[in-house]
């Protein structure tokens, strides 16, 4: 069983929901990331999504775009992101790590080499924003052969047919993008998310993590009640951006926000 | 090539190129677009309306002009210019925007967005949006906004909102990123008119089909004028819409050579250029697999060209396929050579070409002398140079 499947099973047994932070590897500088990952684990997160910086992040809003730009200014790359994941894994064997990024760095590395490098780094899942299942079967097969979960996005306008397609090709969890738009945009419409989740549940048994628009403990709690996990990205990266000269402060604020979310989410069913 | 050319396949692949590499949110609107496009492609009413617009609004057919003086001067092939510069709004871009706008109207979309480099596609989009009374937002890199201010003003006059994109290299690729973000956010009421043969399927095929009128007309006009097919076609290639428009109807005519001219900027060796087919590598950007300007890590490299319309790190996937199969040849022309082409056509024929088209002129100046006077060379004069007057004057030290 993959580390992700085991994690979601463990959470399900204890009636808890996954708290999944997203940070961009190498933002604001490369040495920041591994200690930040460990600190997030201490704050109670279950899975870490690590953004692979890309020069043209078409599906991301300005906050994550700028995170990519800051990381790229430090020559961050897919290879160096994998090195960060590997370093994290040396002292943490239990927290699943998912790489989230765009396809071209993988194309440049080559699919086979990418799958091998990902396995060596003991990365658990790969989410490639611009690789829909139609184009991604080959890559998904290479990853699955190495016990790495290919994770796919679902959107509010995804049809039932597409949900079943993701269910067939994806594994680990499905990432439900809870609003139309780029990362960091707008506000969640809880009623819509709830209705969509019912449709998702009817077509897949995979865990569903919900992201886009989760900003604070209150929304995390509300969203956690609807799915199996909550992804929080832009709200964390905003803390980094607000404290570029004081990274220790950024780290502290991120930890506090995640801890407050953990607390709120765990009090949900109680 | 004996088999009839049928690219792309049903999922938009030109061999390994093309495809539909987009975030999930864009899949439903792209499928909706593809369904509408397939439906209207052969719809007699749609075609009749499009033909009428092309004739009475765009001003088609555009002439195929025999540049006799320039041909004599170069001492080789007979040069014919396909005069897309004479179209309404001054370039070939309107052929496509008229088509896509009709599609948008039939799909009930009320808002149009577009990306633009030189501003020609932005102007052509703002023009059709004004005519149909649709809201129009054009994304343009901040660098391009500065160097193509005349077109920015034209778009605003036409009622469009021009958004200067400040991210990344602030040129065409960043404008495309931003337009995709807008589309993801406003998919319900918005139609994205892509200006070139790039983007996810069906855009490369759809834009080609709307631009193929260039080649269909040129073929007939050449037969009428010379009694036979041309020997060679030359067109500039940024994304590659004017080139594919000219080439496509000739693909099965093996005797017709096809040459796409990329922008070599300061020179291929300097790395400061926009020539992915000449010096790039395959990869995925903006929804399709094609040749790209990218580094070893797959990050997109900033491009350079004197012409904003060619300043793009990718190229239409069909060009990648035509290159790999050898059906078309791709060469490059530097900024300085393009200027030679610009001045040559201006002084020899009294036609001021766009800086983009000047790249094709410059290559024709190399190619024509190697051909015989009984041979025919068609160059796509894809746009007029009015928009470049400020750039040219500045180079000559003149403030307008």
């Amino acid at each position: 069983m993959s580390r992700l499947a085991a994690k979601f099973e463990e959470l399900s047994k204890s009636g808890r929901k996954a708290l999944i932070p997203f940070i961009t590897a190498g933002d604001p500088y490369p040495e920041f990331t591994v200690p930040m990952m460990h600190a997030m684990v201490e704050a109670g997160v279950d899975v870490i999504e690590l953004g692979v910086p890309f020069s043209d992040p078409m599906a991301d809003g300005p906050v994550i775009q700028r995170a990519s730009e800051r990381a790229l200014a430090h020559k961050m790359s897919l290879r160096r992101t994998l090195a960060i994941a590997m370093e994290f894994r040396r002292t943490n064997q239990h927290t699943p790590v998912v790489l989230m990024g765009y396809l071209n760095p993988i194309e440049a590395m080559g699919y086979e080499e990418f799958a091998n490098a990902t396995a060596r780094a003991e990365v658990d899942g790969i989410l490639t924003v611009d690789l829909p299942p139609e184009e991604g079967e080959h890559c998904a097969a290479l990853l699955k052969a190495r016990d790495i979960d290919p994770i796919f996005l679902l959107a509010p306008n995804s049809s039932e047919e597409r949900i079943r397609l993701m269910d067939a090709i994806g594994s680990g969890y499905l990432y439900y993008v809870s609003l139309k738009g780029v990362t960091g945009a707008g506000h969640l419409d809880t009623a819509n998310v709830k209705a969509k989740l019912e449709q998702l549940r009817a077509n897949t048994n995979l865990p569903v993590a919900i992201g886009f628009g989760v900003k604070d403990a209150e929304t995390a709690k509300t969203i956690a009640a609807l799915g199996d996990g909550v992804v929080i990205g832009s709200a964390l990266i905003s803390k980094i951006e607000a404290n570029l000269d004081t990274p220790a402060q950024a780290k502290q604020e991120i930890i506090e926000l995640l801890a407050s979310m953990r607390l709120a989410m765990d009090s949900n069913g109680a | 090539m004996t088999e009839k050319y049928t690219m792309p396949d049903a999922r938009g692949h030109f061999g390994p190129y093309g495809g539909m590499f987009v975030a999930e949110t864009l899949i439903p609107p792209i499928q909706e677009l593809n369904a509408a496009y397939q439906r209207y492609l052969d719809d007699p009413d749609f075609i009749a309306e499009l033909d009428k617009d092309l004739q009475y609004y765009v001003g088609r057919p555009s002439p195929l002009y025999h540049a006799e003086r320039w041909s004599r001067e170069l001492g080789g092939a007979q040069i014919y210019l396909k005069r897309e510069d004479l179209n309404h709004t001054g370039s070939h871009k309107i052929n496509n925007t008229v088509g896509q706008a009709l599609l948008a109207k039939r799909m009930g979309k009320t808002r149009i967005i577009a990306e633009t480099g030189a501003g020609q596609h932005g102007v052509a989009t703002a023009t059709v949006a004004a005519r149909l009374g649709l809201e129009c937002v054009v994304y343009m890199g901040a660098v391009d906004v500065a160097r193509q201010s005349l077109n920015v003003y034209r778009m605003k006059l036409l009622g469009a909102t021009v958004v200067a994109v400040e991210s990344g290299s602030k040129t065409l690729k960043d404008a495309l990123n931003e337009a995709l973000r807008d589309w993801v956010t406003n998919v319900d009421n918005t139609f994205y008119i892509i200006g070139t043969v790039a983007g996810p399927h069906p855009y490369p095929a759809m834009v080609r089909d709307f631009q193929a009128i260039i080649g269909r007309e040129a073929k007939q006009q050449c037969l009428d004028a010379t009694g036979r097919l041309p020997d060679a076609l030359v067109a500039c290639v940024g994304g590659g819409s004017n080139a594919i428009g000219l080439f496509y109807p000739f693909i099965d005519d093996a005797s017709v050579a096809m040459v796409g001219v990329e922008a070599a900027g300061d020179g291929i060796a300097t790395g400061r250029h926009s020539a992915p087919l000449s010096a790039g590598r395959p990869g995925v950007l903006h929804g399709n697999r094609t040749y790209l300007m990218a580094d070893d890590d797959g990050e997109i490299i900033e491009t350079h060209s004197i012409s904003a319309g060619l300043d793009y790190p990718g190229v239409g996937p069909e060009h990648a396929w035509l290159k790999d199969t050898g059906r078309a040849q791709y060469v490059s022309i530097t900024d300085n050579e393009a200027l030679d082409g610009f001045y040559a056509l201006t002084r020899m024929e009294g036609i001021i070409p766009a800086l983009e088209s000047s790249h094709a002129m410059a290559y024709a100046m190399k190619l024509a002398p190697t051909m015989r006077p009984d041979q025919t060379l068609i160059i796509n004069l894809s746009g007029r140079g009015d928009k470049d007057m400020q750039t040219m004057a500045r180079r000559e030290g003149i403030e307008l």
Side-chain angles (χ1 to χ4, degrees):
Chain A
M1 187 187 291
S2 74
R3 209 180 263 118
L4 273 169
K7 174 63 76 177
F8 276 101
E9 195 176 289
E10 170 202 321
L11 286 165
S12 168
K13 277 184 187 151
S14 60
R16 296 167 75 233
K17 304 297 172 70
L19 176 58
I20 310 175
F22 169 98
I23 57 170
T24 298
D27 172 39
Y29 54 89
E31 297 74 23
F32 180 83
T33 306
V34 172
M36 185 74 245
M37 291 169 79
H38 287 303
M40 292 195 297
V41 172
E42 279 170 37
V45 309
D46 302 292
V47 176
I48 295 174
E49 287 187 357
L50 201 51
V52 184
F54 182 51
S55 52
D56 294 77
M58 291 150 283
D60 285 300
V63 172
I64 293 179
Q65 277 179 62
R66 288 193 295 265
S68 252
E69 286 175 12
R70 285 192 295 270
L72 289 171
H74 287 279
K75 305 273 178 230
M76 190 46 59
S77 63
L78 175 55
R79 280 173 207 283
R80 294 185 69 190
T81 303
L82 285 163
I84 282 175
M86 192 182 261
E87 193 187 331
F88 170 77
R89 186 60 78 220
R90 270 206 284 274
T91 47
N92 179 317
Q93 282 298 317
H94 65 277
T95 307
V97 173
V98 173
L99 298 193
M100 182 167 177
Y102 292 81
L103 186 57
N104 202 49
I106 300 174
E107 289 256 323
M109 185 182 277
Y111 287 87
E112 192 96 31
E113 191 186 336
F114 170 69
N116 289 336
T118 305
R120 272 200 305 278
E122 292 183 65
V123 164
D124 303 284
I126 298 294
L127 199 168
T128 308
V129 177
D130 53 350
L131 186 63
E134 286 87 345
E135 304 283 358
E137 281 188 55
H138 170 64
C139 189
L142 287 173
L143 294 174
K144 278 182 170 172
R146 290 159 180 78
D147 247 343
I148 301 161
D149 291 311
I151 294 160
F152 288 95
L153 293 169
L154 280 166
N157 50 3
S158 297
S159 64
E160 295 207 355
E161 186 190 344
R162 292 197 66 76
I163 299 168
R164 288 194 290 271
L165 184 61
M166 310 292 177
D167 177 66
I169 298 177
S171 59
Y173 59 94
L174 292 173
Y175 184 162
Y176 178 59
V177 175
S178 53
L179 43 83
K180 293 174 193 164
V182 294
T183 49
H187 292 282
L188 280 168
D189 182 334
T190 313
N192 281 346
V193 176
K194 193 172 179 183
K196 190 69 188 183
L197 258 290
E198 280 168 21
Q199 190 194 29
L200 291 179
R201 299 293 192 197
N203 290 282
T204 181
N205 290 320
L206 286 172
V208 179
I210 305 173
F212 281 35
V214 182
K215 288 178 165 43
D216 49 31
E218 201 52 42
T219 44
K221 176 177 173 168
T222 310
I223 290 303
L226 302 173
D228 303 297
V230 175
V231 182
I232 168 164
S234 297
L236 300 182
I237 290 175
S238 296
K239 305 280 186 201
I240 292 178
E241 192 162 74
N243 296 286
L244 288 176
D245 295 328
T246 49
Q249 178 66 23
K251 191 174 168 185
Q252 185 58 34
E253 290 184 18
I254 287 172
I255 296 311
E256 281 168 13
L257 178 56
L258 289 171
S260 72
M261 290 179 158
R262 177 83 273 167
L263 195 67
M265 284 163 63
D266 287 353
S267 67
N268 210 30
Chain B
M1 203 173 281
T2 50
E3 274 180 43
K4 200 167 154 47
Y5 182 85
T6 55
M7 290 288 177
D9 69 16
R11 279 162 56 181
H13 295 112
F14 301 87
Y17 303 110
M20 200 167 63
F21 295 90
V22 292
E24 181 60 23
T25 317
L26 282 181
I27 297 278
I30 284 172
Q31 287 177 335
E32 181 192 357
L33 169 65
N34 195 29
Y37 163 63
Q38 298 299 338
R39 180 176 155 206
Y40 291 117
L41 188 60
D42 300 314
D43 179 80
D45 288 344
F46 181 83
I47 292 169
E49 192 175 354
L50 178 60
D51 285 348
K52 192 174 160 202
D53 281 355
L54 289 172
Q55 184 179 351
Y56 294 101
Y57 191 66
V58 176
R60 303 205 70 89
S62 69
L64 185 71
Y65 166 73
H66 187 188
E68 291 181 71
R69 182 170 177 232
W70 202 31
S71 303
R72 267 200 311 278
E73 167 80 13
L74 291 171
Q78 299 307 309
I79 296 173
Y80 285 80
L81 302 173
K82 183 58 176 162
R83 297 292 309 272
E84 293 301 302
D85 62 317
L86 293 177
N87 294 340
H88 179 42
T89 72
S91 82
H92 72 291
K93 292 295 185 186
I94 190 102
N95 301 329
N96 169 52
T97 59
V98 161
Q100 287 197 47
L102 283 185
L103 211 48
K105 199 174 81 175
R106 301 222 173 187
M107 289 170 73
K109 302 292 181 183
T110 56
R111 181 172 176 270
I112 297 284
I113 59 170
E115 85 295 337
T116 196
Q120 291 303 96
H121 173 59
V123 167
T125 303
T127 297
V128 295
R131 178 168 174 248
L132 297 176
L134 302 171
E135 183 191 348
C136 180
V137 178
V138 179
Y139 291 92
M140 189 168 185
V143 167
D144 294 336
V145 166
R147 63 178 161 176
Q148 301 286 348
S149 56
L150 196 60
N151 271 344
V152 173
Y153 181 63
R154 288 169 79 193
M155 288 184 266
K156 287 180 178 169
L157 269 182
L158 290 159
T161 303
V162 179
V163 179
V165 178
E166 298 282 355
S167 60
S169 60
K170 305 177 189 182
T171 57
L172 180 55
K173 80 171 173 77
D174 310 286
L176 227 151
N177 290 339
E178 212 54 43
L180 284 169
R181 290 182 186 117
D182 180 310
W183 200 26
V184 166
T185 309
N186 302 295
V187 290
D188 293 334
N189 69 343
T190 297
F191 190 105
Y192 180 14
I193 299 188
I194 293 186
T196 192
V197 284
H201 179 65
Y203 283 102
M206 178 172 71
V207 176
R208 173 197 72 192
D209 291 346
F210 286 135
Q211 291 294 0
I213 187 147
I214 300 172
R216 285 199 303 273
E217 285 177 5
K219 196 174 198 175
Q220 190 56 52
Q221 289 166 325
C222 184
L223 287 169
D224 292 346
T226 70
R228 51 187 206 82
L229 290 173
D231 295 283
L233 311 172
V234 174
C236 65
V237 176
S241 68
N242 89 80
I244 214 77
L246 177 63
F247 293 174
Y248 182 61
F250 291 95
I251 286 181
D252 287 327
D253 300 311
S255 68
V256 182
M258 309 192 302
V259 187
V261 184
E262 293 191 299
D266 291 343
I268 298 288
T270 66
R272 284 174 49 77
H273 59 85
S274 305
L277 290 168
S278 306
R281 61 169 84 195
V284 170
L285 181 69
H286 293 151
N288 67 95
R289 183 180 287 117
T290 186
Y291 280 83
L292 296 176
M293 305 263 299
D295 66 16
D296 290 343
D297 291 321
E299 307 295 344
I300 305 305
I301 298 172
E302 291 193 11
T303 54
H304 171 80
S305 170
I306 190 174
S307 67
L310 303 183
D311 207 344
Y312 179 65
V315 62
E318 191 159 21
H319 287 294
W321 175 245
L322 293 175
K323 170 192 160 73
D324 281 11
T325 57
R327 179 61 190 94
Q329 183 196 350
Y330 294 88
V331 298
S332 64
I333 283 291
T334 64
D335 286 354
N336 284 333
E337 290 172 323
L339 290 172
D340 292 343
F342 176 90
Y343 287 116
L345 191 68
T346 301
R347 302 274 165 80
M348 278 290 151
E349 296 290 347
I351 299 171
I352 301 177
L355 283 172
E356 290 75 14
S357 319
S358 298
H359 287 71
M361 302 306 148
Y363 184 72
M365 288 164 69
K366 296 183 180 184
L367 180 63
T370 69
M371 298 170 69
R372 297 189 314 269
D374 64 334
Q375 290 184 303
T376 306
L377 169 59
I378 296 179
I379 315 171
N380 202 3
L381 178 43
S382 55
R384 68 175 88 122
D386 303 32
K387 70 181 175 58
D388 297 310
M389 290 302 96
Q390 277 175 337
T391 303
M392 292 306 297
R394 219 171 283 141
R395 287 187 76 91
E396 296 179 356
I398 300 164
E399 266 319 306
L400 295 181

